[in-house]
Amino acid sequence: MIYSRITGTGGYLPEKIMTNGELERIVDTSDEWIKTRTGIIKRHIAAENETTCDLAEHAALKAIAASGINPGKIDLIIIGTTTPDVIFPSTACLLQKRLGIHGCPAFDVQAVCTGFIYALDIADKFIRTGAATTALVIGAETLSRILDWTDRSTCVLFGDGAGAVILEASPEPGIMSSHLHADGEYNELLQVPAGISRYPEKLKNGTAFIQMQGNEVFKVAVNTLGRIVDETLEANHLEKEDIDWLVPHQANTRIISATAKKLNMSMDRVILTVDQHGNTSAASVPLALDVAVRDGRIQRGDTLLLEAFGGGLTWGATLVKY
Ligand code: COA
């Protein structure tokens, strides 16, 4: 039996930091409101000439170094992103060139904030079926490019960044199970309602921005994440106490606390980065994973529950034996 295992992680955040105090000068908001409602203190914003592929490259090189593999061994590249550098080619193909890799499949997955969980599941299935042995799986975003900096209900929430893992074939698991879901019925709760084919003029004049019904998204997120925790535990015949670390999508501390409560988990077993990174969409889970691997909290053999939800609406979870 072939499984896939995470053998290296990497993360990258742009140099420029934007604090809540700086946002107070741009929109009618306050540090107090942002901290209380979301837990966010600061976020990183890509420089004008810095792209999603740039962030992905930094994170990928760190993951490659951490795993100790030769980049030439990589035979699959998947990037979860909603903010690709260009309409096409995919950001994965742009990155493939930079890494000097030729010939292997390389593509992007668009599942908004659940993008990394979707990408990880796809890579795991390639490896389990023998179609790949060494996958580079990334979540990378420059969400700042699709924010309306006059809309206080969205611009305070998001940030830029990238997280990466190397996933290698292994006789031992690894990825224990993944559970992906979507319900397009809720597509209008969280969207950029313009693009290449619908209202292309908004794309051309730079007004294709994130719109969100925050309250509704909050309710659906808490419900769906609660259900997916049960689904993942049942599929693996595990009890709540068997999870060592929750590595959640970093959208909001109140949503994360609700999931931790559902797992009877104290917050000191939850990896929390939303305070420092804001919501980095598909980058948020691999970035949080990398932070906790590098600071030594997550150790080999630990059982991790990764989960995310986002536009679509999409949601998903992965159980990992690290
Ligand atoms: N600063 C100050 N006030 C703000 C504000 C801001 N940045 N954004 C909104 N407000 C105001 C609203 O206008 C509203 O004012 P009113 O009562 O006078 O009408 C008030 O704050 C409450 O707004 P509401 O939207 O009810 O707040 P909330 O408690 O639901 O918090 C979110 C808003 C966005 C933080 C919350 O709904 C949320 O986190 N939702 C989920 C979002 C999410 O996770 N999205 C990403 C999914 S991947």
Side-chain angles (χ1 to χ4, degrees):
M1 185 89 174
I2 311 173
Y3 298 96
S4 74
R5 262 187 80 229
I6 295 174
T7 59
T9 67
Y12 181 76
L13 293 155
E15 262 175 45
K16 185 178 176 221
I17 291 173
M18 185 181 268
T19 61
N20 292 346
E22 284 168 88
L23 280 163
E24 283 177 354
R25 294 195 282 277
I26 301 174
V27 284
D28 180 16
T29 190
S30 67
D31 176 45
E32 184 56 28
W33 192 96
I34 301 171
K35 276 201 300 222
T36 324
R37 305 283 176 133
T38 72
I40 300 167
I41 298 169
K42 60 185 170 99
R43 70 288 290 145
H44 292 247
I45 303 292
E48 218 168 288
N49 60 352
E50 202 172 28
T51 69
T52 296
C53 192
D54 294 328
L55 310 188
E57 184 182 5
H58 285 293
L61 291 174
K62 288 184 183 168
I64 290 167
S67 74
I69 60 155
N70 180 324
K73 215 183 148 212
I74 292 168
D75 54 8
L76 174 67
I77 302 172
I78 312 180
I79 302 188
T81 187
T82 310
T83 47
D85 281 31
V86 291
I87 291 168
F88 74 84
S90 69
T91 309
C93 284
L94 302 181
L95 179 66
Q96 187 188 36
K97 178 186 172 188
R98 293 198 197 180
L99 297 176
I101 299 169
H102 303 276
C104 76
F107 56 91
D108 293 353
V109 170
Q110 216 277 44
V112 200
C113 299
T114 320
F116 178 76
I117 301 287
Y118 270 57
L120 194 61
D121 187 25
I122 297 165
D124 175 53
K125 288 184 165 110
F126 265 72
I127 290 177
R128 281 176 191 248
T129 58
T133 64
T134 312
L136 170 60
V137 187
I138 299 176
E141 303 277 15
T142 45
L143 241 62
S144 60
R145 302 275 154 75
I146 49 168
L147 287 177
D148 176 353
W149 289 98
T150 65
D151 176 9
R152 69 177 182 174
S153 71
T154 52
C155 75
V156 303
L157 303 175
F158 298 96
D160 300 333
V165 302
I166 295 292
L167 202 62
E168 287 188 79
S170 156
E172 307 281 330
I175 307 289
M176 310 286 288
S177 73
S178 295
H179 308 268
L180 305 186
H181 296 279
D183 192 344
E185 178 72 26
Y186 298 112
N187 74 84
E188 288 178 2
L189 295 189
L190 178 54
Q191 59 176 339
V192 177
I196 302 158
S197 188
R198 199 207 290 178
Y199 307 129
E201 66 282 1
K202 292 197 179 201
L203 199 63
K204 287 177 195 148
N205 68 20
T207 57
F209 295 134
I210 293 181
Q211 292 177 4
M212 183 176 69
Q213 297 173 39
N215 270 316
E216 292 309 308
V217 173
F218 193 100
K219 282 183 227 151
V220 182
V222 170
N223 272 328
T224 51
L225 290 176
R227 284 206 308 274
I228 210 164
V229 163
D230 288 338
E231 182 185 334
T232 310
L233 291 175
E234 270 169 38
N236 292 279
H237 310 291
L238 291 181
E239 301 298 328
K240 294 170 178 170
E241 311 72 68
D242 297 324
I243 307 293
D244 295 309
W245 295 101
L246 175 65
V247 188
H249 172 46
Q250 310 286 324
N252 182 311
T253 39
R254 290 185 295 150
I255 296 174
I256 294 172
S257 309
T259 312
K261 201 168 162 202
K262 170 94 192 165
L263 279 162
N264 291 338
M265 245 180 167
S266 74
M267 285 304 280
D268 54 15
R269 287 202 290 144
V270 177
I271 309 303
L272 207 66
T273 55
V274 66
D275 55 336
Q276 303 297 309
H277 302 173
N279 180 348
T280 58
S281 187
S284 103
V285 169
L287 262 171
L289 176 67
D290 182 58
V291 165
V293 165
R294 282 175 194 267
D295 70 19
R297 275 177 292 172
I298 292 180
Q299 296 284 325
R300 283 280 165 214
D302 284 353
T303 302
L304 320 178
L305 180 63
L306 278 45
E307 50 85 341
F309 68 95
L313 293 180
T314 54
W315 62 102
T318 308
L319 192 83
V320 178
K321 198 83 178 159
Y322 185 68

